[in-house]
Amino acid sequence: MRDILRLLKLAWPYRAWLSAALGLSLVTLFANVGLLALSGWFIAAMALAGINGTPINYHYPAAGIRTLAIGRTLGRYAERVVSHQASLRLLAGLRVWIYRRIEPLAPARLESYASGDLLSRIRADIDSLDNFYLRLLAPVLTALCSSLLFILFLWYFNSAVALATGALLLAAGGFLPLAVHLLGRKPGARVTQTSAELRTAVVDGLRGMEELLAYGAAGRQKERVVELNRRLLADQARLAGLAGVSAGGVGLCSGLALWLALVISIPLVRAGSLTGPQMVMLALFCQAAFEAVLPLPPAFRLLGQTLAAARRIFSLADETPAVKEPREPAQLPETPLLTLRGVGFSYSDSAATLVGIDLDLAPGRKVAVVGTSGAGKSTLLALLLRFREYDSGSMTMAGREIREYDGETVRRLMAVASQQPFLFNATLRENLLIARPEASEEEMIAAADIAGVHDEIAAFAQGYDTPAGEGGVKLSGGQIRRLAIARAILKDSPVLLLDEPTEGVDASAARSLLERVFSFAEGRALLVITHSRIGLEAMDEVLLMDEGRIVERGSHAELLARSRRYRDMWELDD
């Protein structure tokens, strides 16, 4: 029930569209039922008039039939247009809502989700909610309103017919959907979960196809996809079987209502309490009334699947961001002086990843962080970017605790080239201009030239309009890394953060690249995380990290002179 209430709350801003769709649905239903009942009355009345040779005014009934026929056609068209417009607007709003909820979760909280699973929640699960709004909510309200009015109409002519029809409407629109829901709840939930697992398996298989083929694991991945597909089809077959049974159940109730109306009405016609045309009208009216409850069993059959999708969406939306933003964030500082004192961090209940980190990062200062893999270097970068929250110590910017600034403000002052840069499936130009969309062509080329990638881009047939491909698949690893550096340079921020900037670049090119970067970084704060000793001699300070601690610090020359651990690291590197 809680999930249903949340879905209704999300639909509240679109109540005008949903109400209009409900109104048009009622108008269309009344026109359809009225058309069948009035047509039956008219045909029977005309037949009796012909047999008895009595006059009959056919103008009004004929006009009513035409009006109802036109109203049914126009109403059905308008109802479809409005209901789909309402549904599409609602689903679009839900996608914006879920995106706003998950954006603060990136990247820390989203790391535990597979990309295929996230895509499934944002796209397929949101689409599944269409079943709730368009195929459940509106039909239920329509059935409730119309069934009450239908019973009142029948009661006017005969209470027994009204009670019999009402009981069968309750069976077809109440008990039957409930039974279908109970029987289809588990298969429906499994369909949602298995569909998500299948999408994840297919996406992961396609993205990792090279590794799967190289290690002979493609067959196992194929078997997993086939098994998931088999389970999905089995549950879908169960739901399809329920659909057939439920449709037959509604048809049975509809037919029983017609026959009961005739059984009850025939004695009344003989007694003179009803006319023959009225009997025909009531019988056809009772049968047509079941159009109101016809959509309910299929809707309730999918309710388990829909609620499972809603729970997947809500579980993602209810995740707590790793970093809590301040209610009243401080203003952007003029000088981004970063100071860390005794900073500590750990992932959940695991051992401390960072312990007692002290760091000063000021304009014009170049600092390098070196150490073995797993020493905590990239975690330190995540703390600086406010992707994660430090557990202890103090981290200040311009003298104020960094928690007093919102994440966007902090990141606005920083440009980063991460260890695993991401390129969108767009042109090289579009990927670069993400950093600063208003940048000129000359500024973009200058940034690429500093990163040492302009000449290679210019050699492409389409130049900067060359498509990068999915994740930069059309480029080499070194080109991707240098494009990321160019993007960071183009942002022109006062703080420049580079994570493994020379990885995948030969020594000569790496030294030339760093010389240009250092020249660009004059007057800026520069932090370089690296496994390479190239360029360390130009750093103001080098921090050696091990197991989350800074174990040595000083200039490159000082560390070489006094630290055996530092010397050994580079000797092993050689």
Side-chain angles (χ1 to χ4, degrees):
M1 180 57 71
R2 182 187 174 190
D3 294 327
I4 291 177
L5 292 177
R6 290 190 70 176
L7 290 173
L8 292 175
K9 184 178 179 181
L10 290 171
W12 183 249
Y14 306 91
R15 58 190 180 277
W17 282 97
L18 293 172
S19 298
L22 174 62
L24 288 169
S25 180
L26 287 170
V27 168
T28 304
L29 178 61
F30 293 153
N32 198 44
V33 174
L35 177 61
L36 185 60
L38 181 57
S39 298
W41 178 90
F42 184 55
I43 292 171
M46 290 290 289
L48 287 176
I51 292 172
N52 297 327
T54 56
I56 182 173
N57 185 348
Y58 62 86
H59 295 288
Y60 291 126
I65 290 172
R66 292 190 184 96
T67 301
L68 290 172
I70 295 172
R72 181 185 66 171
T73 303
L74 294 179
R76 179 68 67 191
Y77 176 78
E79 183 268 332
R80 292 296 171 87
V81 170
V82 173
S83 62
H84 282 82
Q85 186 68 222
S87 179
L88 293 173
R89 285 173 178 263
L90 179 54
L91 293 181
L94 286 175
R95 287 194 178 91
V96 174
W97 172 80
I98 189 64
Y99 182 83
R100 287 175 175 169
R101 295 296 291 265
I102 67 175
E103 186 182 22
L105 303 178
R109 291 288 187 252
L110 299 184
E111 290 175 350
S112 59
Y113 294 90
S115 58
D117 184 45
L118 278 175
L119 177 62
S120 182
R121 292 175 192 247
I122 296 171
R123 193 196 66 79
D125 288 347
I126 288 289
D127 286 344
S128 295
L129 298 185
D130 180 60
N131 294 326
F132 178 79
Y133 295 112
L134 189 61
R135 296 182 175 87
L136 180 66
L137 181 60
V140 165
L141 294 176
T142 301
L144 287 173
C145 296
S146 60
S147 295
L148 179 60
L149 294 175
F150 290 160
I151 292 171
L152 290 176
F153 176 82
L154 292 172
W155 193 280
Y156 176 79
F157 290 94
N158 184 267
S159 59
V161 174
L163 290 174
T165 304
L168 289 169
L169 281 172
L170 179 61
F175 297 129
L176 184 58
L178 179 60
V180 168
H181 168 59
L182 294 176
L183 293 172
R185 180 170 53 188
K186 290 184 179 180
R190 288 197 300 267
V191 164
T192 298
Q193 184 61 37
T194 307
S195 297
E197 292 178 11
L198 181 59
R199 293 187 191 96
T200 301
V202 171
V203 170
D204 289 347
L206 290 174
R207 294 183 65 181
M209 186 58 68
E210 184 176 347
E211 284 74 14
L212 291 172
L213 292 173
Y215 291 97
R220 293 194 297 273
Q221 184 70 8
K222 177 184 175 181
E223 290 174 3
R224 172 170 167 73
V225 171
V226 169
E227 172 60 20
L228 288 171
N229 189 59
R230 185 196 64 77
R231 285 161 43 190
L232 178 62
L233 290 176
D235 285 323
Q236 288 177 336
R238 293 187 184 94
L239 293 176
L242 286 175
V245 172
S246 63
V250 175
L252 176 63
C253 291
S254 174
L256 286 175
L258 183 146
W259 283 105
L260 284 174
L262 289 174
V263 168
I264 296 171
S265 299
I266 288 173
L268 298 177
V269 173
R270 289 175 177 172
S273 300
L274 281 178
T275 65
Q278 287 176 335
M279 178 191 69
V280 175
M281 177 192 70
L282 289 179
L284 293 176
F285 186 94
C286 290
Q287 184 182 40
F290 283 82
E291 184 182 341
V293 298
L294 185 62
L296 297 188
F300 277 83
R301 173 178 60 89
L302 297 174
L303 182 57
Q305 181 178 344
T306 303
L307 291 180
R311 283 190 287 270
R312 282 169 47 82
I313 293 168
F314 291 147
S315 66
L316 177 61
D318 293 341
E319 285 269 15
T320 303
V323 175
K324 185 178 181 180
E325 299 289 1
R327 291 185 177 180
E328 297 181 2
Q331 296 296 316
L332 191 71
E334 294 183 3
T335 304
L337 174 62
L338 282 165
T339 304
L340 281 66
R341 292 292 180 267
V343 170
F345 173 80
S346 62
Y347 292 94
S348 62
D349 297 328
S350 61
T353 305
L354 295 177
V355 180
I357 302 297
D358 293 340
L359 172 66
D360 293 300
L361 197 58
R365 182 174 172 81
K366 300 188 293 293
V367 178
V369 181
V370 300
T372 58
S373 297
K377 305 185 299 297
S378 295
T379 301
L380 175 61
L381 195 65
L383 295 182
L384 292 173
L385 290 166
R386 298 295 289 151
F387 288 153
R388 296 188 181 275
E389 186 67 86
Y390 52 98
D391 301 327
S392 59
S394 172
M395 183 183 296
T396 62
M397 176 180 283
R400 304 187 66 162
E401 197 68 26
I402 203 168
R403 289 192 178 106
E404 298 180 27
Y405 302 98
D406 64 76
E408 286 299 320
T409 297
V410 173
R411 289 186 287 273
R412 198 175 302 132
L413 297 172
M414 300 181 183
V416 58
S418 64
Q419 187 176 5
Q420 296 178 327
F422 182 82
L423 294 185
F424 292 89
N425 190 11
T427 65
L428 303 183
R429 180 191 309 278
E430 289 168 327
N431 274 283
L432 288 170
L433 292 179
I434 288 173
R436 190 154 57 95
E438 72 279 6
S440 66
E441 182 83 6
E442 292 74 17
E443 290 172 322
M444 181 184 66
I445 292 174
D449 195 45
I450 293 173
V453 74
H454 169 68
D455 291 341
E456 294 175 47
I457 294 175
F460 294 145
Q462 295 176 268
Y464 283 87
D465 293 319
T466 301
E470 185 72 27
V473 68
K474 296 184 178 180
L475 305 173
S476 68
Q479 289 172 329
I480 293 174
R481 188 166 301 279
R482 281 175 287 150
L483 272 171
I485 295 172
R487 186 161 58 188
I489 290 171
L490 185 61
K491 188 178 178 182
D492 196 22
S493 296
V495 180
L496 184 59
L497 309 174
L498 303 180
D499 193 355
E500 302 293 353
T502 59
E503 186 176 338
V505 182
D506 64 78
S508 175
R511 186 171 298 279
S512 177
L513 167 64
L514 288 178
E515 287 175 357
R516 294 191 299 272
V517 169
F518 292 159
S519 176
F520 167 79
E522 288 294 333
R524 294 176 170 81
L526 174 64
L527 178 69
V528 178
I529 295 174
T530 183
H531 280 93
S532 171
R533 64 181 177 184
I534 297 175
L536 293 182
E537 67 279 357
M539 293 293 175
D540 298 307
E541 186 176 35
V542 178
L543 309 180
L544 174 61
M545 292 189 66
D546 186 33
E547 296 184 352
R549 301 173 184 270
I550 297 177
V551 294
E552 299 281 359
R553 64 193 314 148
S555 68
H556 178 61
E558 291 170 346
L559 292 177
L560 284 175
R562 73 166 188 257
S563 174
R564 181 174 181 80
R565 182 186 305 198
Y566 188 76
R567 291 195 303 273
D568 288 347
M569 185 174 65
W570 301 127
E571 288 173 2
L572 289 172
D573 185 56
D574 290 338

